Amino acid sequence: MFIYLQRCPILLRFLVVLFFLHTVFIASVKATQAGEEKVTIVAKNVPLRDVFKSITKQTGYHLFYSPEVVNVLERVSLEVKQQPVDDVLQSLLGNKNLTWVYNEDAIAIRVKEKSPDEKKRIDRIEDDSITNPLPQTVTGKVTDANGNAIPGATVMVKGTREGATADAEGKFTLHNVKNRSVLVISSIGYEARELTVKGKSILAQLNMDVQALDETVVIAYGTTSQRLSTGNIATVKAEEIERQPVNNPLLALQGRVPGLFIQQSTGLPGTAVRVQVQGQNSILNGNDPLYVIDGVPYSSQSLPNLGAILAPPNGQSAIVGNNPLGFINPADIESITVLKDADATSIYGSRAANGAILITTKKGKAGDTRVSINMQKGWGKVPRKLDLLNRDQYLEMRHEALRNDSKTISPTDYDLNGTWDTLRSTDWQKELIGKAAAYFDVQASVSGGNDNTQYLIGSGFHRETTVFPGDFSDQKGSVHFNINNKSKNQKFKVQLSGSYLIDNNHLPNQDLTSYAVQLAPVAPKLYLPDGTLNWQTDGNGKATWENPLRYTLTKYHNKTTNLTSNGMLSYTIIPGLDISTSMGYTNMQSSDKQLTGMNYYRPEDRPFNIPIGVYGSYNINSWIVEPQINLKRQFGPGRIDALLGSTIQQTNSNSQQLIGGGFANDLLLEDIKSASILIVSSTLDQIYKYNALFGRLNYNLFDKYIVNLAARRDGSSRFGPENRFHNFYSVAGAWIFSKENFLKNNVSFLSFGKVRASYGTTGSDQIQDYRYINLYNKVNSDLAYLGGTGLEPASLYNPYLQWEETRKLQLGLDIGLLGDRILLNTNYIRNRSSNQLLDYPLPGTTGFNGIARNLPATVENSAWEFTVNTVNTKSRNLTWSMNFNITLPKNKLHAFPNIEQTSYASSYIVGEPITFINRFHFLGVDKTTGLYIFENRKGDQTSSPSKPDDQIVRINTSPKFYGGLQNSFTYKRFNLTFLLQFVKQRAQDIDFGISLPGAFFSLGNQPITVVKRWKQVNDNSNIQRYNSDYSRNTPYFNAVDSDMGYGDASFIRLKNLSLSYQLAETLSRQIRLNNLRIYAQAQNILTFTNYKGLDPETRSSLTLPSLRVFTVGFQANL
Amino acid sequence: MNANINCSDERLDHLITLLKHFAITLRQYGIITLATFMITVIFLCSCSKFVEVEAPKTSINQENVFSNDATATAILTGIYIKMSGRNLSSIGGISTIPFVTGLSGDELILYNNVNNPIYIAYYQNSLTTSNVGAQDYWNELYKTIYTCNSAIEGLDKATSISPIVKKQLLGESKFIRALNFFYLLNLYGDLPITRTTDYSINGTLNRSPKSQVYELIIQDLLDALNLLTDNYVDNSLVNPTSERVRPNVWAAKALLARVYLYNKNYVEAENMASQVINNTALYHLNALNEIFLKNSAEAIWQLQPVNNDFNTEDARFFIIPQTGLSDQWPVYLSQQLLSSFETGDRRKTQWLGFFVDTTITPHKTYYYPFKYKVSERYEPVTEYATVLRLGEQYLIRAEARAQLGKLTEAADDLYSIRERAGLGKVIPSSQLAMLEAILHERQVELFTEWGHRWLDLKRFKKVDEVMTIVTPLKGGVWSTNWQLYPIPEADMRFNPNIIQNPGY
């Protein structure tokens, strides 16, 4: 076998690799002594595995090793001609503290135990195949690379039904086996292999199969595998993330991870995403998990922005409340690991009470320079329209409402009095949110490197427009790089990664969805013939409606840049003992502008308003240094893995906002210097410091019994001097019982079995900075008062603030069946959060709404989490795999001593979920008055129940269960994957109307459900009489706030569908591309639900629902 | 893991010894020792100084606030700024009381195209506990009281503030606290008396009976009398100024006169009002169109405008622009008020403005309060929002005297007000008739000012009589319970000792 890999054009190089992979060249070299066989190998930077294959082909030796001992993916370069195989191995493995043993037809590689020169050689069993052509009895032994017996291994004679199972010592016997027949030897967890019978006794060694259970899983300060982990960990990989056209990587986790509940707040690009790991631990405060990107903690709180802080003109609520993960390019992510239990998270101490989400970015791989490109284009649409009143139904409602209230059509009933054209009928949903949003995404990367240095440079561009009329878009450009280097002696390692993303978000100042569903069908045209906004003014020149497109004239631009970077230096002092330091720096900067020109205002408001620009700039930077010592060595009969480290972290945030006025005209708004008046409306300057000491000790005995201990001491600047520090710990153990002989021998279908348990503590310091100091803030005003400024108390302060602590108990059972083709994971979790750190709500008499304080409440979250992974079919052409997960969460207030003395007395009940909300009990509509009636606390009927006393029904708004089902089919070159997400929950619905049915204020349309209203005495209805003057607003609101206002919001959603086709190499090469894959992907395709509102996920009808996105694209290597 | 958290000197010595030791061993053991040493140092440094932060530069902590005159003064200034800058349409601040009590009572009509549920609830006397409107005044006024309490506590402890400033600020704090309790009491009835910043006390109080709240108000105002300056001072609190925008002793007396009157202590009410009226060096009645000008002679306490380009928020909010009523200009004056002006009352022409809607036939005229006249942008500042004025003192004294049986003197005081409106003297036929005349005079003199009408209706026990007629006209149903606003839901929920007002 000759392999020439030299500098040549990429295509040619690829051909050579293919040639190498496909050519069969067996050199029949016979040597007198094992290891003396001559081989010829010329390889440049190829995986060790390929060299091994070449050796096998040339010598007939199969090489055996366990993946922990030999990294066969390691790239090596070699040039030998007719050298003894032993010398070749010496040059390849000699410096790796390894030794190898020759068997009949195998070389087993293992860790050198004694002197380096000791090479045990076993003489080959004499080949008597020629002398004995008759069928004979063959005995043999099946072992792993280390020579350990593999009981239960199956040995079949190929092409027959003859076979045997290895006994407890790995031994088997086969009768009547013809010489030269081929045996197929397989066992769960090992790669199957074929062996030609050449004698009476056979020693078959099997390599461990690197499969799902053994894939590397990233954990806090290290890695492990699903097989050996003691914690509750779930991983989602790049291929699954890439399959989904989403703009926030968190959305790619929906329905995939048990115990993780993710909710999108609106369908607009760049908006908030709610994430909850294993339920709501904290009664009120931060339930955000800890995000860690390549070892560096990443903010879970978004930067403040104008949209969120300053109410835009007229008190309209703003729409942009971004999530910081939206500033991470999903395409840069290699894997996302969700850590849930104490074992996995307590080493993060105070920050991980709500779990941790670790994001690992893509790293360079050694090998040829690889250029890959992935491009997709698509469309997003609002997936569902509300069923609203049509024009006639709307007019009927309005007239009836006036009749009900004994009113005549008034000068302000513009929809009825002729000011508006009552013959018009507009589908506002089509008009305002009916457009298709464009979706475009392109990613390119270059990677490569050699044995010692690898690099990756990737770049991406992403653009999404909105479904609103007008030119709005969210545009992201990003660069990602990674460099790894290790010294020649492998002792010193450097790793550097960084990502930089620029997000340019242009949005209107208001989500138009609320207008789309509420504007009367007879509302006027949007534009006048001259192209300006139509205000449909009355005789005084006053607008008769609020033209929704005014919000498209107040532009909101947000430009955010995000830099995340990290570096790692490590040095191996002696084999097994490493010291390292990781360093990280993140900087998120954003600047935004909210520009309100005169054309935004209604004509009558213009004399009282001026063009105003609000300009904000925000900056969060954070650095972290984490020195660590890591010890890995054999200790007694087992392996020890110990870690000791320290964290020093600081986060600075500052911001300022300016308001500019007095612009000569609207066009000058973009430029702040054109403002003649400039006011600094707010400034912010905060520092958060964090310091910790942590350690972990892992002991692994025979890969069977594993104990993991972790501890951390944390200090945070968010607490007063008395309570700054706190200790956290965890204890965990796992028993891989399938390795026990009594099971190994007797239960053959069980390929893997592990029980896990962990218990420990984590904490939370998720409160605002400085809550322990009594602070005064400046009172904002345009002008000074008598030349002086004003101050006011910022909030109530509490110098005794302490950490919140969550005790997590977790029990797990992992089972692999039929050669791990079926993997079952079961977890039972019970988390108890105590010393609740919360914004304790206070009566107004205290001057504020609440205070940050600790309360002795204990909230318990328990859950069952199940995951099933199966490979249903695996044949040459068709592979069908399935993944199913379901979480059954339960939440309750476990204890709350003296609750009756606190302000929670009426909100929470010990033993009941904290997600319960109290609501009125709906009785229907009074047959005489036509008004909603409710049951009060005394059991009487009333149409004016009072809060909170009469809120006698409790409704649980948290999901009852949720999960996902994914199926993946690969047929020849096609792949089809789809994910069904399901949630069982209750939420507020729109049965009673979106606002008071019958009233009018330029908005007023209603869902079709209101037509079943009460019309006259003795009518039996669940919808109260139409009402035009808001005099029946209170019963309406009470009904919305009653138990009947809440409906089933469960849904099953075809979340993701992806179809791809890998072009045949011959074909794709003709167009000068490699690995060309074309695909079509779709998100939020179908939703099955009883929910009447727009979207059961956002649980709202007034905000844009999650869009249905279709894309097509291709991926290729150059 | 128990960590060396405290970096004491002792530990530092220890460190140095360690250092020497390592220096020696370093040579012997080389790199391993070096690494161990480095790591040890890192861990030793893992101490509390890494988690100590200073207060943010954008805020001031309490110690600093009460360490110098300027920042201490700024606390009270902050209250005035918030009072002055508050837009009337954003219900809740004490200065929006004219708008909201006008809606609740018989002064204002809400434009029927306005669907703000809070406006409607106040207007139709249909507030509920769940109505967000219910918490507006309660929360805002208690917050101001908290600020006063924190100022009083801070000033009491302060050592480096000059005595004059400290005295004035204590006086202002007590005055403002009294003012806020006065309005809370009259809007909500019995109140929890909060006199500290301790939330654990403030959040669990019972509602004290009206009389006890009045005791506190009176005590605060009496204290203020002794603390506040005689003349008007500028931001230094020392130098006199013509700007009447910080309360002085006369403001305290004027408010005290009102409180005594409400409390039926007519002797003291007369006495206090007389003291203010007799200070002719500072105060005298102005012509109708000069009362609300800045630093007018009738003004006892005014608020300086703080919003760019505008005079008063009253003018901006009440004066209906040429394009007519809308959700930004949602109210106009009621027929009840308009028809209560006597013929020839100059206030009808000088204090009422109108807007004619020509889009409908017949054209409709809407009247609005025109006491403050400058509503446009960019006009020079000529008007200040007037909180306390001499006119009210005459009416207080008239009422006190009438109650004391001094009907002639009462008629004289009343005439002082009527005269400038171009009206004649009321001849008192009986005490009751005199009081009726005073109530009527207060209606047309003090309309849309500081909730006088709403409070008077209740004080004169006329509220049921009047509102039984008015509320149905507004689309609501009157009950005597609606004369008190409901205690907010949050307080009911979070303070188990609070009892709701009847009917809610």
Side-chain angles (χ1 to χ4, degrees), chain A residues 813-1011:
Chain A
L813 176 67
D814 302 333
I815 301 274
L817 299 172
L818 309 176
D820 296 344
R821 273 176 66 171
I822 301 173
L823 287 175
L824 302 160
N825 298 301
T826 308
N827 283 299
Y828 172 74
I829 60 132
R830 198 201 67 197
N831 300 342
R832 283 183 180 163
S833 291
S834 55
N835 205 17
Q836 290 269 330
L837 184 60
L838 34 83
D839 255 325
Y840 181 71
L842 290 172
T845 49
T846 57
F848 291 90
N849 298 329
I851 184 170
R853 68 171 275 202
N854 296 90
L855 274 187
T858 306
V859 174
E860 179 182 296
N861 277 294
S862 56
W864 285 97
E865 297 173 1
F866 300 96
T867 312
V868 186
N869 283 292
T870 59
V871 181
N872 298 348
T873 310
K874 193 168 187 175
S875 67
R876 217 164 65 94
N877 286 334
L878 177 72
T879 310
W880 172 23
S881 62
M882 208 169 83
N883 172 305
F884 174 77
N885 74 78
I886 184 168
T887 306
L888 303 147
K890 219 173 136 190
N891 173 290
K892 75 173 185 192
L893 183 61
H894 175 67
F896 199 154
N898 295 323
I899 186 173
E900 44 311 321
Q901 302 299 313
T902 71
S903 57
Y904 290 104
S906 62
S907 315
Y908 301 114
I909 298 171
V910 175
E912 300 270 7
I914 57 166
T915 48
F916 264 146
I917 46 175
N918 296 322
R919 288 296 178 259
F920 298 127
H921 179 47
F922 182 85
L923 290 179
V925 168
D926 187 312
K927 285 188 180 178
T928 340
T929 61
L931 298 182
Y932 291 126
I933 42 173
F934 308 89
E935 187 183 334
N936 70 11
R937 58 193 176 280
K938 293 173 199 141
D940 302 330
Q941 279 188 11
T942 172
S943 61
S944 55
S946 86
K947 273 184 188 174
D949 299 345
D950 291 335
Q951 291 180 316
I952 51 175
V953 184
R954 286 194 305 281
I955 293 172
N956 195 353
T957 53
S958 69
K960 251 192 176 138
F961 61 79
Y962 58 89
L965 170 67
Q966 176 167 301
N967 274 281
S968 182
F969 303 89
T970 308
Y971 178 71
K972 290 186 174 167
R973 295 173 172 277
F974 285 99
N975 175 277
L976 174 75
T977 302
F978 65 87
L979 172 71
L980 288 164
Q981 181 200 5
F982 57 87
V983 178
K984 167 99 178 147
Q985 62 179 3
R986 262 183 104 177
Q988 201 154 32
D989 212 339
I990 53 166
D991 302 59
F992 296 121
I994 296 173
S995 57
L996 181 73
F1000 167 71
F1001 180 71
S1002 85
L1003 299 173
N1005 207 11
Q1006 298 293 343
I1008 196 83
T1009 45
V1010 305
V1011 298

Side-chain angles (χ1 to χ4, degrees), chain A residues 314 410-412 414 538-542 571 573-574 579 602-605 607-610 627-629 644-646 648 677 679 683-695 711-713 715-717 724-725 770 772-777 779-793 795-798 840-849 851 853 900 902-907 918 946-948 951 1000-1001 1029-1031 1033-1034 1037-1038, chain B residues 1-3 5 31-32 35 39 42-43 45-62 65-66 71 74-75 77-78 80-82 84 111-115 117 120 124 126 128-131 138-139 142-143 146-147 150 192 194 197 199 202-203 233-235 241 243 245-246 301-310 321-329 355-360 375-378 475 489-496 504:
Chain A
N314 274 352
S410 83
T412 54
Y414 303 119
D538 66 5
N540 292 320
K542 188 178 75 174
Y571 186 78
I573 301 170
I574 49 169
I579 54 164
R602 285 174 292 203
E604 70 266 33
D605 297 348
F608 301 89
N609 287 290
I610 52 170
Q628 292 156 46
I629 320 172
L644 192 62
S646 161
I648 306 163
I677 311 162
I679 298 156
T683 55
L684 177 89
D685 192 345
Q686 292 181 330
I687 298 175
Y688 166 59
K689 288 185 184 178
Y690 175 88
N691 181 213
L693 203 59
F694 57 87
R712 187 173 187 111
R713 179 169 174 84
S716 159
S717 66
R724 254 176 206 155
F725 291 90
Y770 308 116
Y772 64 93
I773 323 180
N774 190 2
L775 290 179
Y776 287 76
N777 288 342
V779 177
N780 283 326
S781 68
D782 300 348
L783 306 172
Y785 193 85
L786 259 187
T789 51
L791 287 172
E792 65 174 339
S795 61
L796 291 171
Y797 68 104
N798 185 351
Y840 181 71
L842 290 172
T845 49
T846 57
F848 291 90
N849 298 329
I851 184 170
R853 68 171 275 202
E900 44 311 321
T902 71
S903 57
Y904 290 104
S906 62
S907 315
N918 296 322
S946 86
K947 273 184 188 174
Q951 291 180 316
F1000 167 71
F1001 180 71
D1029 61 0
Y1030 297 100
S1031 53
N1033 214 7
T1034 306
F1037 274 125
N1038 288 339
Chain B
M1 285 302 289
N2 61 345
I5 292 307
I31 189 83
I32 295 172
I39 288 154
I42 287 161
F43 289 149
C45 287
S46 147
C47 65
S48 58
K49 74 175 157 70
F50 278 125
V51 285
E52 260 163 32
V53 290
E54 286 173 14
K57 294 169 197 120
T58 48
S59 314
I60 301 179
N61 65 23
Q62 197 187 17
V65 164
F66 294 102
T71 47
I75 307 275
T77 306
Y80 311 140
I81 288 175
K82 290 185 89 176
S84 175
Y111 184 51
N112 59 4
N113 200 20
V114 171
N115 76 340
I120 292 167
Q124 296 181 333
S126 59
T128 63
T129 43
S130 40
N131 217 309
W138 185 269
N139 288 352
Y142 267 111
K143 185 170 182 185
Y146 175 88
T147 308
S150 101
T194 56
T197 54
Y199 71 90
N202 291 344
V233 289
D234 70 5
N235 201 46
T241 171
E243 298 278 321
V245 298
R246 288 197 91 100
W301 179 36
Q302 294 184 313
L303 296 169
Q304 178 219 306
V306 292
N307 291 337
N308 246 331
D309 309 333
F310 280 104
Q322 271 322 295
T323 44
L325 290 145
S326 65
D327 57 339
Q328 287 197 56
W329 290 275
F355 159 77
V356 183
D357 189 349
T358 53
T359 60
I360 46 170
S375 62
E376 305 277 311
R377 236 171 210 282
Y378 305 125
E489 185 198 347
D491 283 62
M492 297 301 301
R493 202 190 282 276
F494 302 138
N495 180 354
Y504 290 105

Side-chain angles (χ1 to χ4, degrees), chain A residues 302-321:
Chain A
S302 60
L303 286 167
N305 60 57
L306 291 176
I309 282 182
L310 284 181
N314 274 352
Q316 298 290 347
S317 64
I319 46 171
V320 180

Side-chain angles (χ1 to χ4, degrees), chain B residues 153-180:
Chain B
E153 285 175 7
L155 289 163
D156 279 342
K157 277 186 258 166
T159 51
S160 51
I161 297 182
S162 63
I164 300 179
V165 169
K166 187 169 174 175
K167 207 173 143 210
Q168 170 72 11
L169 288 178
L170 273 173
E172 289 186 24
S173 304
K174 297 210 165 184
F175 171 79
I176 296 292
R177 184 163 73 177
L179 179 76
N180 281 277

